Amino acid sequence: METSLSPCVLAEQAVARLRAGADPVRAAGARRYFKNQVDFLGLTTPQLRELAAELAARVRKHWTIDEVFQFCEALLPDRYHEPRGLAILVLTRFKKELGPDAFERIRRWLERDYLDNWALVDATCPELAGHLLLLHPALQDAIREWAGSPNRWVRRASLVSWLKLTKKRELLDKIYAMAEVHFSDPDDLIQKANGWLLREAGKTDVDRLEDFLRRHGPQIPRTTLRYAIERFPGNKRQALLTETRSHRLG
């Protein structure tokens, strides 16, 4: 394999290209969407996707999945959002080659704060962890442990990893059970993710979502409930907010 296709060399080249395209004005604007400190170079998502497609095409016939991971792990410790986002976009193009061991690797990335904002978690987990949950059902039980993590990004991942699986009626029991586990979580990023997951589950069975919200309403944080009921008609949203107001956790 030519030296230029070494995962570490290609990662260095990719970072150089990203830095060359930095836009301080756009970077400042991007930071406004995050409560925690996130450093940006100022590139757009289409720019990252274009570069990811180019890199993936360049190495597809040459790299094993282990080398793809080497490339990712050369980028993920970077202080800037874009190199880490690029790593995930490239890995996504190889997701059919992932084995169940990739699940724990993703968890380690979360625990090390390589994916330390909602955008990176949401770009990684529905697409990659969710893909693994579907292919390897044993992981559907393993991910329950993520809900008890002290790391907020692992906890958010335990929810958003299910987003693309809400269309599977046979998985709704596990999805609702995961949502219930998080009702006592005070973190607003977890509450929002939980509401998002419930809203998506409601697209598959709206009656089940309404029944779930009515049964558990007083336990559900207000933020979660508001996200969960966004697709209901206005009068029903108001009724659910009113009926579940007492003894709400937050």
Side-chain angles (χ1 to χ4, degrees):
M1 181 175 64
E2 59 178 294
T3 304
S4 63
L5 288 183
S6 159
C8 291
V9 170
L10 201 59
E12 291 175 0
Q13 294 173 352
V15 170
R17 290 177 62 177
L18 292 173
R19 290 179 181 273
D23 183 334
V25 174
R26 184 179 286 119
R31 283 194 290 271
R32 291 198 292 267
Y33 292 96
F34 299 84
K35 292 183 179 180
N36 59 308
Q37 178 64 38
V38 181
D39 294 323
F40 287 88
L41 292 169
L43 287 88
T44 66
T45 298
Q47 287 175 307
L48 292 180
R49 291 188 183 281
E50 182 178 354
L51 180 55
E54 176 191 326
L55 294 173
R58 184 177 173 188
V59 303
R60 182 167 295 281
K61 294 182 180 180
H62 304 281
W63 281 5
T64 65
I65 191 62
D66 286 340
E67 287 168 310
V68 177
F69 278 123
Q70 288 175 36
F71 173 81
C72 292
E73 291 179 348
L75 292 175
L76 286 170
D78 199 282
R79 64 171 284 196
Y80 288 102
H81 177 89
E82 288 89 346
R84 292 181 285 159
L86 178 66
I88 298 308
L89 289 172
V90 170
L91 182 59
T92 298
R93 289 179 171 270
F94 292 87
K95 72 176 185 179
K96 292 182 180 179
E97 299 174 34
L98 297 180
D101 57 308
F103 193 72
E104 277 305 307
R105 191 185 294 257
I106 292 170
R107 177 172 178 162
R108 290 196 299 271
W109 292 350
L110 292 160
E111 290 175 335
R112 293 172 184 171
D113 288 335
Y114 290 163
L115 310 172
D116 63 351
N117 62 68
W118 59 262
L120 286 173
V121 174
D122 297 356
T124 304
C125 294
E127 196 69 41
L128 298 177
H131 173 74
L132 293 167
L133 288 174
L134 185 60
L135 289 183
H136 306 284
L139 299 177
Q140 296 169 12
D141 295 323
I143 201 172
R144 286 185 62 88
E145 298 178 8
W146 295 23
S149 173
N151 185 297
R152 72 190 311 194
W153 309 118
V154 177
R155 299 202 308 280
R156 185 174 174 99
S158 74
L159 292 163
V160 300
S161 294
W162 293 93
L163 283 170
K164 292 195 172 185
L165 306 183
T166 55
K167 296 179 182 179
K168 307 286 185 181
R169 285 183 177 269
E170 66 273 20
L171 295 179
L172 288 179
D173 285 349
K174 291 184 176 181
I175 288 169
Y176 278 103
M178 179 63 78
E180 189 173 350
V181 166
H182 286 286
F183 287 163
S184 60
D185 197 314
D187 191 320
D188 72 319
L189 285 175
I190 310 306
Q191 294 175 5
K192 290 174 181 178
N194 206 4
W196 182 14
L197 180 63
L198 289 170
R199 185 178 71 226
E200 293 302 305
K203 293 179 182 179
T204 298
D205 188 339
V206 67
D207 292 335
R208 179 168 183 172
L209 174 60
E210 182 176 354
D211 178 67
F212 179 84
L213 296 176
R214 291 186 184 279
R215 283 189 291 112
H216 297 283
Q219 301 173 331
I220 304 175
R222 191 172 188 82
T223 297
T224 296
L225 183 62
R226 286 191 179 277
Y227 271 67
I229 64 177
E230 281 182 349
R231 294 179 60 85
F232 283 112
N235 59 340
K236 185 162 287 187
R237 290 199 305 271
Q238 189 56 52
L240 285 165
L241 286 169
T242 300
E243 293 169 17
T244 60
R245 190 181 306 279
S246 62
H247 309 301
R248 190 179 303 283
L249 292 175

